[in-house]
Amino acid sequence: MFTPIKTPKVYDQVIEQIKLKIKSGELKKGDKLPSEREMSESLCVSRTSVREAIKALEVIGLIESRQGAGNFIKTNFDNSLFEPLSVMFMLQESSLKEMYDLRKTLELECGRLASKNIKDNELEHLSAILDRMYQSETEEESLELDIKFHYVIVKSARNVLLTNILEVISQLMDEFIRTSRMQILHTDNSREILLSMHEDLVKALKFRDEKAIQSAMEKHFDLIWKAYGY
Amino acid sequence: MFTPIKTPKVYDQVIEQIKLKIKSGELKKGDKLPSEREMSESLCVSRTSVREAIKALEVIGLIESRQGAGNFIKTNFDNSLFEPLSVMFMLQESSLKEMYDLRKTLELECGRLASKNIKDNELEHLSAILDRMYQSETEEESLELDIKFHYVIVKSARNVLLTNILEVISQLMDEFIRTSRMQILHTDNSREILLSMHEDLVKALKFRDEKAIQSAMEKHFDLIWKAYGY
């Protein structure tokens, strides 16, 4: 049998060139790309190939095409670049346990970094959210506050890579979190336990205590996992 | 001033539909997509829009288009889906410290999981690599063995998500690792220290000692970071 010969696709090579310019720092966020005509001339490829490459980079959210103005490297990625990541997660049929392990690891690290980098106004924000959690009367509102609470911690870790990856996993686990919260709330004293756990997190961050925040996070995640019935 | 009106692009909607079918499990790895004609009819969009969507999904490595046979969901992702991730890392201008923190966190978790999941033949493989590290005579060979060594640990953690994310970060940090290894090797007894650290890693895994592997990993990474001059 013959093995099919793989010819490198032209648009792939165009994309490769754009990526190289990003790697070298020649192209930065917000920069305008050369016109399609210029690119096709300097790369010695057809304008169709250039257009295919641009279109693909637009779809993955790296490039923004503005009517009449040209093509630009996006300044704000609003997670679109991570879309492929989340599709792959789904196709890999990753188990909930795999996601949970990864998420717990990243949240613990966020906690550790937050204990070093959190600012006073972020600490105040956390306390304010916690106060509202105590007063909250509906499950829907509590859940929203809970998510907000953890998001403040993640942001105050000040590591963009970590934040971005965590966001993708969180989206995937959204359903899981809703379910586990419901499970927790169906056991006795559950509301009090959850609130005191969040209290511990705020306290550890206030004292900028690396060990305390990690152990508080660990306890919190263990509860979540158990609540889910594992 | 008017704000430009954003019209959702047709190909985006086609991609959305394909993603939904993946989420619902209707489309799985290796599955064939309906023909472009069928898709354009059932989605009520032009064939051009379908083709643009397919092309974009091909570029990000989700779909494979086989001449004459049609379009298929890929079975093997060979990291292409993570390409956008690595481009984003570059555009975010993430600091080395950010990458290092993330990588250390993930490698420590890999160590922990590996201590639970590693198989006997993988342990033997690690010992064999370590033996060769002792005998290695060139820096190039040592580096290759070092990378292989860590890769076996990562694989034996048996968490695909973790492995994939770590691979992207490793590629980004490749240059960094080479440099730091050189720095380490330019200090006294460095070779012996590195070898004994790898020895500790193997020992901890053999005893399936979760705490020992994490502390050995931590020491190893601390050395790497210090060697880099921080």
Side-chain angles (χ1 to χ4, degrees), chain A residues 198-212:
Chain A
H198 285 95
E199 196 88 65
D200 289 345
L201 291 171
V202 177
K203 220 180 287 169
L205 287 174
K206 263 189 192 146
F207 288 109
R208 296 174 181 280
D209 186 335
E210 206 176 297
K211 290 258 180 311

Side-chain angles (χ1 to χ4, degrees), chain A residues 9 23 58 60 82 85, chain B residues 9 58 60 82 85 90:
Chain A
K9 297 190 171 143
K23 272 191 204 186
E58 200 185 335
I60 64 169
F82 285 96
L85 194 66
Chain B
K9 298 194 169 138
E58 201 184 334
I60 63 168
F82 285 96
L85 194 64
M90 288 182 284

